[in-house]
Amino acid sequence: MNDTRDLTNLTVTDALAALRSGELSCTELVRAFLERIERLEPRLHAFITLTPELALRQAAAADRQYTRARKSGESTPPLLGIPLAVKDLLALAGVRCTCGSRILDNFVPPYSATVVQRLLDAGVVVLGKTNTDEFAMGSSTENSAYGVTRNPWNVKHVPGGSSGGSAAAVAARMTPAALGTDTGGSVRQPASFCGVTGLKPTYGRVSRFGLVAYGSSLDTVGVFARTAADVALLFSHMAGFDPRDATSVDFPLPLPCLDGKTNLKDVRIGVPQEYFIEGIQPEVEGAVKAAITHLEKLGAVVLPISLPHTEYALPVYYLIAPAEASANLARYDGVRFGPRVEAENILDLFCNTRGQLFGAEVKRRIMLGTYALSAGYYDAYYGQAQKVRTLIKQDFEKAFELVDVIAAPVAPSTAFKIGEHADDPLAMYLEDIFTLPANLAGVPGLAFPVGFDYQGLPVGMQLMGAPFGEEMLLRLAHVYQQTTTWHLQTPTGVD
Ligand code: GLN
């Protein structure tokens, strides 16, 4: 394989086959991605930190391992030599982890997150750490202290957020796969905006150890790739019990086996009326409904369902997530982590450091959360929100007695313009209305491309499943992708 530009079009599955057969070397593959990153990064800014030396070192080691294995017949790690980008909210030992914030500008974690370590053990090569809204608070990557990431389909538009760097990098073929995190939609919404496939797993299924905490009862680690088959492959090496995460679940993981069958006979798909509301972009509604019809033609049974408490998800989330964030972010005070803004006394040191190094959105969330938790208001806000959260969870439990999966839009619109919601936090929060419920209920969600709008921007669809039902979501998306071509479209404007 001589033409290095073509190598960046390989899926994880195809790249693995070529690496194993010896037709392709890891070094060639990694160089192709690094060259593409070098070319596109100035325009897209998908990364906060690049790790080319590490990647080339890992690639050379992988090549040696393949050569040895070919001689001896021994087996190789399952993802050996596959390039990966990691959201800058997950620890990678020895590499700066900023969380998109100045307050962690120089923070270098001494250990790797469990999910990162699992993938390293499976053989991946890390290309770099991707851009994110500060502490994952946002829906556009505009809240990063390191500059906005641009959408590869149209650089005037946002890539979504908060894992916008990871989604843009996969869409622009700067990496075949990337890790993201999803607290209220941060994998699914950018996947939808960038036209890639993104999985938010069941809460507890992938370890949060080494993920910098935002809303601990909502945080999940997910993955982006260009196909459901690639997402399934990576996910199977990410999930699993971890004694270092108290909410990690010891639930056996069937390795997603996505066969070639395209028959969806007897799969019951529920379509919730609350997700097709006034104000949704007509092309989004049209593309999602067409995708549901497509699945129906493949044998699925489509049923109307109701998730009656959906309208409360937004206020509930924007009480619970900031409340948890206000507690989690108390540790950044200029003493233990990151840079410090000096002062005469310790209280001023805390105030100066937090006042100068946190961005505006993070401060807003800390104030909202502190207020919701304060004595006298706790029951009225946080306590009440927890009760309504239970009702939202029960909506899903009831729905999954009737159907196997729920199909819905990911977001009410396609990618909006950079700056469009800059002065209106509420408009930004409204972007999350269809993704928040899955986090509140702890259920898995998968986003994948199902069309384009009149501007040529991708439209995504979301499938939500019962707890631990990732395999069903991946199977449906895989069948969809075997019989359609939306996921094969590439943004050409950035080349
Ligand atoms: N946009 C949502 C928020 O700002 C979700 C972010 C996320 O999932 N990390 O909280």
Side-chain angles (χ1 to χ4, degrees):
M1 297 204 178
N2 294 327
D3 185 352
T4 50
R5 273 163 311 168
D6 283 343
L7 298 181
T8 61
N9 279 324
L10 290 173
T11 61
V12 173
T13 312
D14 293 341
L16 264 178
L19 289 170
R20 284 188 188 140
S21 70
E23 187 189 337
L24 170 69
S25 80
C26 305
T27 306
E28 272 180 286
L29 182 68
V30 167
R31 274 197 201 287
F33 281 108
L34 290 175
E35 274 166 27
R36 190 159 169 87
I37 290 172
E38 200 174 286
R39 197 150 55 79
L40 300 189
E41 182 59 6
R43 237 166 317 153
L44 296 179
H45 189 45
F47 289 85
I48 293 179
T49 304
L50 286 164
T51 54
E53 293 89 11
L54 171 68
L56 288 169
R57 224 172 32 242
Q58 289 174 322
D63 281 330
R64 285 194 299 274
Q65 209 172 338
Y66 273 120
T67 310
R68 263 200 322 270
R70 249 175 249 120
K71 279 191 201 130
S72 68
E74 78 201 40
S75 62
T76 47
L79 298 173
L80 187 61
I82 292 302
L84 180 79
V86 177
K87 184 179 184 178
D88 206 20
L89 207 72
L90 287 156
L92 169 63
V95 176
R96 174 168 93 129
C97 183
T98 68
C99 298
S101 182
R102 290 283 168 218
I103 213 158
L104 287 177
D105 191 49
N106 58 7
F107 172 59
V108 178
Y111 61 87
S112 293
T114 299
V115 59
V116 172
Q117 192 58 51
R118 274 180 197 258
L119 291 170
L120 288 171
D121 293 344
V124 300
V125 169
V126 180
L127 298 172
K129 305 288 299 288
T130 55
N131 200 8
T132 167
D133 285 298
E134 187 172 0
F135 288 102
M137 295 174 189
S139 307
S140 66
T141 321
E142 291 168 289
N143 295 338
S144 168
Y146 300 88
V148 62
T149 297
R150 290 167 184 277
N151 191 314
W153 292 91
N154 183 333
V155 292
K156 293 201 175 75
H157 290 247
V158 301
S162 62
S163 316
S166 288
V170 173
R173 309 313 193 240
M174 294 157 111
T175 178
L179 291 181
T181 67
D182 192 313
T183 301
S186 281
V187 166
R188 289 161 289 156
Q189 186 253 22
S192 174
F193 280 14
C194 290
V196 298
T197 304
L199 174 69
K200 170 232 176 278
T202 308
Y203 181 78
R205 194 140 207 200
V206 175
S207 170
R208 289 182 295 114
F209 181 78
L211 159 65
V212 175
Y214 164 15
S216 302
S217 75
L218 304 154
D219 292 342
T220 57
V221 184
V223 60
F224 298 91
R226 297 203 329 261
T227 65
D230 281 0
V231 166
L233 179 62
L234 281 139
F235 171 63
S236 69
H237 297 290
M238 294 162 59
F241 179 64
D242 179 11
R244 287 181 295 190
D245 171 358
T247 59
S248 170
V249 181
D250 197 356
F251 190 94
L253 181 79
L255 282 191
C257 49
L258 304 179
D259 53 34
K261 283 190 223 126
T262 53
N263 188 344
L264 293 178
K265 199 167 165 330
D266 299 333
V267 175
R268 294 163 304 168
I269 301 177
V271 181
Q273 61 188 58
E274 292 82 2
Y275 284 66
F276 294 87
I277 48 173
E278 222 187 281
I280 175 172
Q281 191 178 325
E283 295 153 303
V284 170
E285 179 167 349
V288 170
K289 287 198 164 151
I292 294 170
T293 306
H294 182 87
L295 294 172
E296 198 173 15
K297 285 198 188 121
L298 295 169
V301 180
V302 176
L303 302 168
I305 60 160
S306 173
L307 297 166
H309 296 93
T310 301
E311 63 174 305
Y312 302 112
L314 191 85
V316 165
Y317 175 89
Y318 278 100
L319 284 166
I320 292 176
E324 295 182 3
S326 71
N328 279 327
L329 271 57
R331 72 192 70 170
Y332 307 111
D333 53 12
V335 177
R336 281 171 296 175
F337 310 93
R340 168 181 307 174
V341 182
E342 294 291 354
E344 300 273 293
N345 60 61
I346 188 79
L347 190 62
D348 287 348
L349 183 146
F350 292 162
C351 293
N352 287 353
T353 302
R354 290 168 69 84
Q356 290 178 34
L357 301 181
F358 276 140
E361 184 59 31
V362 172
K363 287 182 197 164
R364 182 180 297 126
R365 305 278 179 114
I366 291 173
M367 286 191 279
L368 280 172
T370 306
Y371 185 80
L373 289 176
S374 57
Y377 294 104
Y378 185 96
D379 288 340
Y381 292 115
Y382 187 70
Q384 194 64 12
Q386 290 290 17
K387 288 183 195 156
V388 182
R389 179 179 188 175
T390 302
L391 297 175
I392 292 169
K393 190 162 175 280
Q394 287 168 351
D395 280 356
F396 279 94
E397 284 163 5
K398 285 187 196 132
F400 288 122
E401 286 170 12
L402 301 172
V403 296
D404 303 303
V405 293
I406 295 172
V410 181
S413 71
T414 54
F416 47 91
K417 281 212 174 83
I418 291 172
E420 198 173 318
H421 295 329
D423 305 320
D424 189 351
L426 197 56
M428 192 72 94
Y429 298 171
L430 280 167
E431 290 293 326
D432 305 332
I433 48 173
F434 300 145
T435 49
L436 304 173
N439 298 79
L440 291 167
V443 302
L446 181 74
F448 55 97
V450 294
F452 290 92
D453 73 358
Y454 74 102
Q455 307 170 90
L457 292 166
V459 177
M461 172 158 99
Q462 172 176 215
L463 294 176
M464 289 175 277
F468 308 102
E470 286 87 352
E471 199 175 1
M472 173 67 91
L473 309 183
L474 291 162
R475 194 178 136 225
L476 254 70
H478 180 59
V479 168
Y480 182 83
Q481 291 180 346
Q482 281 182 301
T483 51
T484 56
T485 55
W486 301 115
H487 65 293
L488 301 175
Q489 311 302 314
T490 55
T492 48
V494 286
D495 280 285

